[in-house]
Amino acid sequence: MPDFILDVQGLETTFKTPDGVVHAVNGVSFGLGEGETLGVVGESGCGKSVTMLSVMGLIQSPPGKIVAGKAIFAGQDLVKMSREELRHVRGAQIAMIFQDPMTSLNPVLTIGKQLEEPLMLHVGMTKNQARDRAAELLSMVGIPNAKDRLNDYPHQYSGGMRQRVMIAMALSCSPQILIADEPTTALDVTIQAQITDLVKRLRDELGMAIIWITHDLGVVASLAQRVLVMYGGYIIEESPVKDLYANPTHPYTLGLLGSLPRVDEKERTKLFSIEGQPPVLYAKPNACPFAPRCKWALEHCWQENPPLMEIAPAHRAACWVDTKTGRHR
């Protein structure tokens, strides 16, 4: 078994709501290798963000609660750490870029002030040292006239520039792991490509490991080495990125890939759509959570939730059906 810089085992997170307890993450296990880029894909509500927020200790309690599992980083379990201990890990060793940079940045503090704070807190820099480093970081992520722009407020930056600031802030303390939670969702396509290229370049220069959460399978293809596909709070397929696109196995993964427009098709074909709605899990399912939406579902699928089973080397899927033959696996 390879050595992982982050090893998550059996993670379960629930949320108490007026209608009942929602089982948002249900026994998720995965490892992240040093310098590896791991893509996490799936539709809204499948548990991608909650999994990573749980690892970071950022689940608001109440209503959220981590009820089981562990996340081992540098020999310590992040799940069992106190708030004070986590403060020294977050930002310094594991950093996170959030989906909406406007709500992640403090609107009443200058960009310089927000960049300087983690440098003084985690690295022990003086005010002047932190100021110089903040200007370097803004230049590194492609913001012109960086020194002058430190005095600006978030509303004076465009959406793409604010996301660059978030990346600069995340990288300020040279973390070992960067978690990016759909960092390009609110941006137009051109800026999305620039941000993705920037993260790739910085990853290669700094050698950090990345977890990239996204809906966009196109971004995953160009950025990640390995992919986790999530559905209903479970990992339902795990594969090297090339193998996932060449040999998708789970019916849900087939649906996701079938919904992508292709430029290499000789004839025009209708995009595939997955019928039905994702589950709201007030109870952990005894059957496969995808069975109600699956055209391949067999009787066994309604009786038992499949574990992740090896399909090929390093490729696992949680499905009782061989989708190529339609027969029980």
Side-chain angles (χ1 to χ4, degrees), residues 90-92 111-138 140 150 168-175:
R90 286 197 298 252
I111 294 297
K113 176 85 174 166
Q114 294 182 65
L115 277 168
E116 290 158 21
E117 187 179 9
L119 292 166
M120 292 189 286
L121 178 68
H122 294 302
V123 186
M125 287 185 177
T126 64
K127 174 80 173 168
N128 288 336
Q129 287 171 330
R131 188 82 176 169
D132 292 339
R133 177 62 177 153
E136 276 177 38
L137 287 162
L138 285 190
M140 184 172 73
L150 288 173
M169 199 177 291
L171 299 179
S172 59
C173 301
S174 304

Side-chain angles (χ1 to χ4, degrees), residues 8-306:
V8 176
Q9 293 294 330
L11 191 67
E12 294 186 28
T13 304
T14 62
F15 289 89
K16 196 176 265 188
T17 74
D19 296 320
V21 175
V22 174
H23 296 261
V25 176
N26 299 303
V28 164
S29 300
F30 67 90
L32 177 70
E34 199 164 332
E36 179 185 29
T37 301
L38 178 68
V40 184
V41 300
E43 63 197 339
S44 296
C46 71
K48 310 183 297 294
S49 297
V50 173
T51 298
M52 300 312 158
L53 289 169
S54 300
V55 168
M56 293 283 282
L58 292 171
I59 293 293
Q60 191 172 345
S61 178
K65 187 180 181 184
I66 300 170
V67 294
K70 55 188 179 179
I72 306 299
F73 172 74
Q76 291 184 290
D77 187 355
L78 297 172
V79 172
K80 290 183 179 169
M81 280 187 179
S82 67
R83 284 190 179 185
E84 188 57 36
E85 288 171 323
L86 278 169
R87 275 187 68 211
H88 295 292
V89 173
R90 286 197 298 252
Q93 294 161 288
I94 305 175
M96 192 161 183
I97 307 168
F98 296 95
Q99 187 168 345
D100 184 358
M102 196 62 221
T103 55
S104 303
L105 292 165
N106 191 324
V108 299
L109 295 178
T110 64
I111 294 297
K113 176 85 174 166
Q114 294 182 65
L115 277 168
E116 290 158 21
E117 187 179 9
L119 292 166
M120 292 189 286
L121 178 68
H122 294 302
V123 186
M125 287 185 177
T126 64
K127 174 80 173 168
N128 288 336
Q129 287 171 330
R131 188 82 176 169
D132 292 339
R133 177 62 177 153
E136 276 177 38
L137 287 162
L138 285 190
S139 295
M140 184 172 73
V141 296
I143 292 179
N145 307 317
K147 205 150 197 172
D148 297 332
R149 304 245 32 200
L150 288 173
N151 296 318
D152 289 345
Y153 289 86
H155 73 270
Q156 293 172 275
Y157 282 65
S158 68
M161 289 176 82
R162 285 196 293 265
Q163 197 57 283
R164 287 168 187 267
V165 170
M166 290 302 299
I167 293 170
M169 199 177 291
L171 299 179
S172 59
C173 301
S174 304
Q176 294 168 267
I177 300 172
L178 176 67
I179 300 173
D181 186 2
E182 302 194 38
T184 60
T185 298
L187 307 175
D188 65 56
V189 177
T190 310
I191 305 300
Q192 281 183 22
Q194 290 175 9
I195 296 293
T196 308
D197 289 343
L198 170 66
V199 170
K200 273 197 246 184
R201 178 172 63 79
L202 295 173
R203 173 195 65 190
D204 296 340
E205 286 175 11
L206 304 174
M208 63 190 169
I210 295 175
I211 298 173
W212 189 279
I213 304 167
T214 185
H215 292 101
D216 191 336
L217 286 155
V219 170
V220 167
S222 66
L223 191 69
Q225 283 107 34
R226 197 158 53 92
V227 188
L228 305 178
V229 182
M230 289 191 69
Y231 184 83
Y234 295 89
I235 293 172
I236 51 97
E237 189 155 5
E238 177 185 1
S239 170
V241 68
K242 287 182 181 174
D243 197 23
L244 187 85
Y245 286 83
N247 184 30
T249 301
H250 196 282
Y252 178 64
T253 311
L254 287 165
L256 286 180
L257 290 169
S259 67
L260 282 177
R262 302 282 296 258
V263 294
D264 59 348
E265 287 179 342
K266 292 176 182 173
E267 294 181 17
R268 279 194 266 176
T269 54
K270 198 173 180 181
L271 290 178
F272 179 80
S273 66
I274 303 171
E275 299 295 327
Q277 297 291 325
V280 180
L281 299 175
Y282 290 117
K284 285 176 74 174
N286 297 319
C288 172
F290 190 65
R293 303 172 74 184
C294 181
K295 66 178 183 181
W296 281 283
L298 303 172
E299 191 178 340
H300 193 183
C301 305
W302 295 96
Q303 295 169 347
E304 186 182 359
N305 194 354

Side-chain angles (χ1 to χ4, degrees), residues 299-328:
E299 191 178 340
H300 193 183
C301 305
W302 295 96
Q303 295 169 347
E304 186 182 359
N305 194 354
L308 280 167
M309 296 176 272
E310 190 153 342
I311 308 301
H315 187 165
R316 300 186 300 158
C319 186
W320 295 121
V321 184
D322 182 340
T323 49
K324 286 179 181 167
T325 63
R327 294 177 186 158
H328 199 289

